[in-house]
Amino acid sequence: MGLKTAVILAADGGNSKTELLAATRDGEVLAYRRGPGSNSHAIGADGTAAVLHRLVGATGVELPGEAGVFYLCGADVPADIEELTAAVAAHGWVRRAAVDNDTFALLRVGTDASDAVAVVCGAGMNCVGRAAGGRTIRYPALGWETGDWGGSEPFGREALHLAARGEDGRGEPTVLGEAIRGHFGLTTGELGEAIHYRRLRESRLGELAPLAIAAAAAGDAVARGLVERQALEVALVVRRALRDLGLESADVVLGGGMLAAGEGYLYERTLALLAELAPGARPLPCAAPPVLGAALAALDLAGAPLSAAERLRQAFRDGLRAEAVA
């Protein structure tokens, strides 16, 4: 069978990077490419499709493929999904395509359980879930407008806020100002001005998250309060998801840059609050790249044999890495 009928495509599109994998229906990896971020809220659906098109072209496979799953940051509400689905379909990369939010990639790769919830805590935060019988839940997760908080960028923004107040006496003393100077070479005031006047991208505040978590682990009370807030947000959204799915217990896949390692002060506090607020949660850290979840879903869509999924998983266990595309 030639590549024309054997190919599946899978994409994980995020704020800072987009990964695309091409494989055969038997699970043999043909190409794995990485490019820039593709959040449609920032660049529009056509901009997202343009990023994907560049990556698809860089795979060198013959098109159209058999099936493709495109899990994309920015596919948050039905109108987003409809617009992105149309943009993907217009390119005709595959005969059958599915488009959805990138959190579903984590859910697919993190567990095979029928009752499961996934929480991504990366640059931002989102949650999806499924239950036996095909029920799913999802939330807009648009940010403060929909009552959401969390992820490294809001976390870092709050760290700067607390550091500034700690230095001028409006807040409690904290080592966060020293951490900012050590990392950026700027005072809190200088960093605040650089962000406000767009000399630095606001997204760079996400770099403060690991510094604040380290300060919390070392005993800084202000940083500990910030970590506690993040852990509580995760526990609350899991509790909400279990309630909305009508589940007493479920696997809870924890991923994204702030939780995927499955260790550290934030992770420990998250587990403690999950045990308190959502005792039926079975936490599972997931460091596997989300694009693998998209690829597994694409194999499902193509009706591939179970052996194909295991072959694909093994490729990542063996150290498969993406090739950057300019």
Side-chain angles (χ1 to χ4, degrees):
M1 183 183 294
L3 292 179
K4 188 176 180 63
T5 56
V7 170
I8 62 102
L9 296 177
D12 169 53
N15 280 299
S16 60
K17 63 179 173 61
T18 301
E19 294 191 341
L20 186 135
L21 185 139
T24 70
R25 190 174 174 276
D26 293 326
E28 177 188 358
V29 175
L30 301 172
Y32 183 20
R33 304 289 183 259
R34 174 180 293 180
S38 55
N39 186 343
S40 59
H41 291 178
I43 62 176
D46 289 339
T48 298
V51 173
L52 293 171
H53 189 65
R54 195 156 65 247
L55 294 176
V56 170
T59 66
V61 299
E62 191 174 358
L63 302 174
E66 186 171 348
V69 171
F70 304 86
Y71 285 142
L72 306 171
C73 175
D76 294 316
V77 300
D80 294 330
I81 296 170
E82 183 177 334
E83 189 176 16
L84 286 164
T85 298
V88 166
H91 285 272
W93 300 312
V94 291
R95 294 187 179 89
R96 287 176 291 168
V99 176
D100 215 325
N101 186 268
D102 56 335
T103 312
F104 282 100
L106 177 65
L107 183 65
R108 178 63 183 85
V109 75
T111 179
D112 291 327
S114 58
D115 296 337
V117 171
V119 178
V120 168
C121 192
M125 198 173 125
N126 203 349
C127 175
V128 298
R130 65 175 180 241
R135 288 178 296 140
T136 61
I137 53 99
R138 61 189 308 138
Y139 305 111
L142 299 177
W144 67 268
E145 303 95 328
T146 49
D148 307 301
W149 184 87
S152 65
E153 291 181 15
F155 191 102
R157 189 181 306 118
E158 189 67 10
L160 174 58
H161 173 83
L162 293 170
R165 294 177 68 86
E167 287 188 346
D168 66 20
R170 288 177 294 170
E172 297 299 316
T174 174
V175 300
L176 291 175
E178 297 172 22
I180 286 170
R181 286 189 291 275
H183 183 73
F184 286 102
L186 301 171
T187 66
T188 57
E190 289 168 342
L191 179 59
E193 288 184 16
I195 296 295
H196 182 81
Y197 291 104
R198 296 178 175 81
R199 295 192 293 270
L200 281 179
R201 301 188 315 277
E202 187 173 344
S203 61
R204 290 204 59 194
L205 291 177
E207 297 170 23
L208 294 177
L211 305 179
I213 294 170
D220 184 85
V222 171
R224 285 197 166 189
L226 188 51
V227 169
E228 200 73 9
R229 181 181 179 187
Q230 177 63 85
L232 179 61
E233 284 295 312
V234 175
L236 288 173
V237 77
V238 169
R239 184 175 70 176
R240 176 190 184 189
L242 293 176
R243 180 201 67 199
D244 292 349
L245 286 167
L247 298 175
E248 292 186 0
S249 63
D251 284 359
V252 175
V253 184
L254 301 174
M258 295 187 73
L259 291 174
E263 61 183 9
Y265 186 70
L266 172 61
Y267 188 80
E268 292 166 3
R269 291 306 304 149
T270 298
L271 293 192
L273 288 171
L274 279 172
E276 178 183 338
L277 298 177
R282 298 186 294 270
L284 299 171
C286 184
V291 73
L292 175 56
L296 294 173
L299 290 175
D300 295 341
L301 185 60
L306 293 177
S307 58
E310 178 54 31
R311 186 177 186 182
L312 204 54
R313 286 183 185 274
Q314 188 60 50
F316 280 90
R317 286 195 290 264
D318 289 342
L320 180 67
R321 294 289 183 271
E323 178 183 327
V325 175

